Amino acid sequence: MSTVYEDLRKLLPEECVSIASGDIEVHRIDKWHAAADPEVVVFAQSTDQVAAVMRYAFENEVPVYTRGAGVGYVGGCVPVQGGIALSVAQMDQILEVNTGDGVAVVQPGVITGQLQEAAREKGWYYPPDPASLKECSIGGNIATNAGGPRCLKYGVTKQYVLGLEVVTAKGEIMRVGGRCHKNKTGFDLTTLMCGSEGMLGIVTEATLRMIPHPETRAMLGASFVDFTAAAAAVQAILDAGILPSALEITDAFTLAAARDYLGEENLPPGDAYLMVEIDGRIQSVKNELEGLKKRLEGLGALRVNEAADEAACEEIWQLRRDFSYSLKHTGLTKLNEDIVVPRSQLVELVNFARQLQQDTGIPVACFGHAGDGNIHTNLMVEDYADPVIKERADAAVDKLFTWVLEHGGAITGEHGVGLAKKPWIKQALGPVAFEMHQSLKHAMDPKGILNPGKFLD
């Protein structure tokens, strides 16, 4: 029996430590295809327990892979060197929702959607909204600096993290930031932890900024003859001084898959679809909605669907969610690459994707967050387990990432680097920045036990 297992049984309650096959199976993988068995799974229930595990791991140089809800897309929590899979999923309490201070204090296992509901009950708003908000956790959101459709107007996770409690690699408990909305005391270690992918410390508590909830929202769904026309509409909306809360775009391949999945009659005409969400005071939203509809019609929209209330907005958002299901319905494996390009490069990106599809024979579906250039570029592969197909698909991803970097873009906007994008990290960061990452990693994790084997190794 594992020595690590026996040692941890002496440090923690019996129910917190497991080598059961079912627990090992769950904790060997996330939503990506890579998998590796941990030696032992720990279900932490408190900061003190996390600290005890880390003190043991540091002394004995045991790898530790922290895991939240396990719904990442890049193999970020996969325990590639065995060791301890440290789950914080049971640390799932909303400790405080304080409208006076405009903060919520939560443990890392809290599901994002549950926090949004708790804030909404008090008339307040926690804006970060990753597509997996009903299943992803705050700890994972912080680890990847998660975004979502509404980050165009409201920003990504790091804009809402005021303070953190962090357990270091040595098992010390550190507090950074606080509950003040302005704080310039020392280096910004709070933001440093956002997007650190479990490699610099373990978040055990987060103090998050809330804002008053918008009084209402409304949406428009506009179809266009092609992607170029829809992308032009995106820029025209912003140039007109309008800042939507969300601005989503969809290409022809995705619409074709949706027509096959949902039925031709349930989809709008055209080869591109634009979703525009606005929010604010009731009267201002009403006026803005009318003006936006006229503007989109003037920009050549084939059809504009108006959603003036909550139920109608949800119908349009459901269509957006159905795009993913439609791609899955094709029977192909979706390699979901969350690349980002400058907004002026949207049309060029989709033109490149069409050429990549022609050159490789691999269908490419593009849809996502047009307002900030974060377009999910999905390579639709027949059988990724087939070595020949995998080699062809990996070569296509390499071409995509190379093009994106050459055009001033980024290889990930939301999902993180993890294992999936590790081969391109030096190219993406550059040699000096990569070396600086390694220096920071060594300073905060001198024995390299936090999430080893990922993009800095």
Side-chain angles (χ1 to χ4, degrees):
M1 189 171 287
S2 165
T3 302
V4 175
Y5 171 72
E6 291 296 338
D7 290 344
L8 290 174
R9 283 283 301 272
K10 298 172 185 175
L11 288 176
L12 303 169
E14 182 178 351
E15 67 271 14
C16 293
V17 187
S18 175
I19 53 172
S21 59
D23 291 330
I24 296 293
E25 182 68 23
V26 167
H27 291 80
R28 70 193 302 266
I29 196 167
D30 62 4
K31 294 290 186 181
W32 200 49
H33 62 80
D37 288 347
E39 188 173 342
V40 61
V41 178
V42 171
F43 297 97
Q45 298 172 348
S46 69
T47 300
D48 287 342
Q49 289 181 358
V50 173
V53 170
M54 291 312 305
R55 285 193 296 270
Y56 169 81
F58 187 79
E59 182 179 344
N60 294 278
E61 299 189 23
V62 179
V64 177
Y65 296 88
T66 310
R67 180 188 179 95
V71 294
Y73 284 101
V74 294
C77 62
V78 174
V80 290
Q81 294 182 14
I84 300 167
L86 178 58
S87 171
V88 294
Q90 293 183 15
M91 297 175 66
D92 60 356
Q93 297 301 303
I94 298 176
L95 303 174
E96 182 183 359
V97 178
N98 188 313
T99 59
D101 287 347
V103 301
V105 182
V106 304
Q107 292 182 314
V110 169
I111 300 301
T112 306
Q114 293 174 352
L115 172 59
Q116 289 184 337
E117 290 172 6
R120 185 72 181 94
E121 287 174 2
K122 296 196 174 187
W124 283 66
Y125 192 26
Y126 179 69
D129 65 326
S132 57
L133 63 90
K134 293 183 179 179
E135 54 180 346
C136 66
S137 64
I138 293 295
N141 290 177
I142 293 170
T144 58
N145 192 26
R150 294 189 180 96
C151 62
L152 168 63
K153 180 176 182 178
Y154 292 108
V156 296
T157 297
K158 69 180 180 182
Q159 272 90 44
Y160 296 88
V161 180
L162 297 175
L164 295 171
E165 178 184 78
V166 178
V167 175
T168 70
K170 296 180 180 181
E172 299 169 324
I173 299 172
M174 171 176 68
R175 283 194 170 271
V176 295
R179 60 194 292 133
C180 296
H181 289 243
K182 287 184 177 180
N183 186 343
K184 178 54 201 85
T185 309
F187 295 146
D188 190 358
L189 298 181
T190 308
T191 302
L192 179 63
M193 294 301 300
C194 295
S196 60
E197 300 192 33
M199 302 172 75
L200 302 180
I202 300 171
V203 172
T204 50
E205 183 181 289
T207 301
L208 305 171
R209 180 169 73 99
M210 301 187 302
I211 62 175
H213 202 287
E215 193 172 34
T216 192
R217 64 171 173 152
M219 292 188 72
L220 294 170
S223 56
F224 288 86
V225 64
D226 57 26
F227 193 92
T228 300
V234 169
Q235 193 58 46
I237 289 170
L238 297 170
D239 285 343
I242 300 167
L243 183 59
S245 52
L247 197 49
E248 300 283 293
I249 199 167
T250 305
D251 74 349
F253 182 93
T254 307
L255 287 171
R259 290 186 178 105
D260 182 64
Y261 177 60
L262 300 171
E264 186 83 25
E265 69 283 358
N266 294 313
L267 272 295
D271 281 342
Y273 189 63
L274 192 63
M275 295 168 48
V276 189
E277 182 185 84
I278 55 176
D279 61 15
R281 305 290 291 179
I282 291 175
Q283 190 58 49
S284 64
V285 167
K286 180 181 178 182
N287 295 339
E288 195 170 344
L289 189 67
E290 293 173 359
L292 259 175
K293 185 176 182 181
K294 292 178 182 178
R295 186 174 297 277
L296 288 168
E297 290 170 344
L299 290 167
L302 302 175
R303 191 171 82 195
V304 181
N305 297 328
E306 186 174 337
D309 58 33
E310 192 75 19
C313 286
E314 275 306 305
E315 287 184 12
I316 293 182
W317 276 119
Q318 185 57 50
L319 179 60
R320 167 67 169 81
R321 289 188 284 268
D322 282 338
F323 290 150
S324 290
Y325 295 122
S326 300
L327 293 177
K328 290 178 182 177
H329 183 68
T330 64
L332 302 172
T333 299
K334 183 175 70 169
L335 303 183
N336 183 0
E337 306 302 344
D338 64 320
I339 56 90
V340 193
V341 294
R343 199 169 53 238
S344 62
Q345 299 287 321
L346 285 178
V347 174
E348 286 78 2
L349 169 63
V350 172
N351 288 341
F352 173 79
R354 297 284 76 80
Q355 187 62 49
L356 185 65
Q357 176 175 312
Q358 185 175 333
D359 293 344
T360 64
I362 299 172
V364 183
C366 299
F367 67 92
H369 319 314
D372 55 26
N374 183 197
I375 302 298
H376 292 260
T377 306
N378 305 277
L379 278 69
M380 308 299 296
V381 181
E382 287 183 20
D383 181 6
Y384 195 66
D386 184 311
V388 175
I389 294 176
K390 183 180 184 303
E391 183 178 0
R392 185 157 51 93
D394 290 347
V397 171
D398 181 62
K399 289 181 179 180
L400 171 65
F401 286 170
T402 299
W403 185 92
V404 166
L405 291 172
E406 288 175 349
H407 288 74
I411 60 175
T412 175
E414 300 176 319
H415 298 163
V417 179
L419 289 171
K421 297 177 173 65
K422 180 178 177 178
W424 297 274
I425 188 63
K426 290 184 180 179
Q427 184 182 357
L429 291 177
V432 177
F434 182 77
E435 185 178 345
M436 185 60 69
H437 275 68
Q438 290 182 312
S439 297
L440 287 167
K441 168 69 169 172
H442 181 72
M444 298 184 72
D445 180 17
K447 293 186 178 181
I449 61 172
L450 284 170
N451 207 7
K454 302 301 164 60
F455 67 83
L456 289 180
D457 292 338

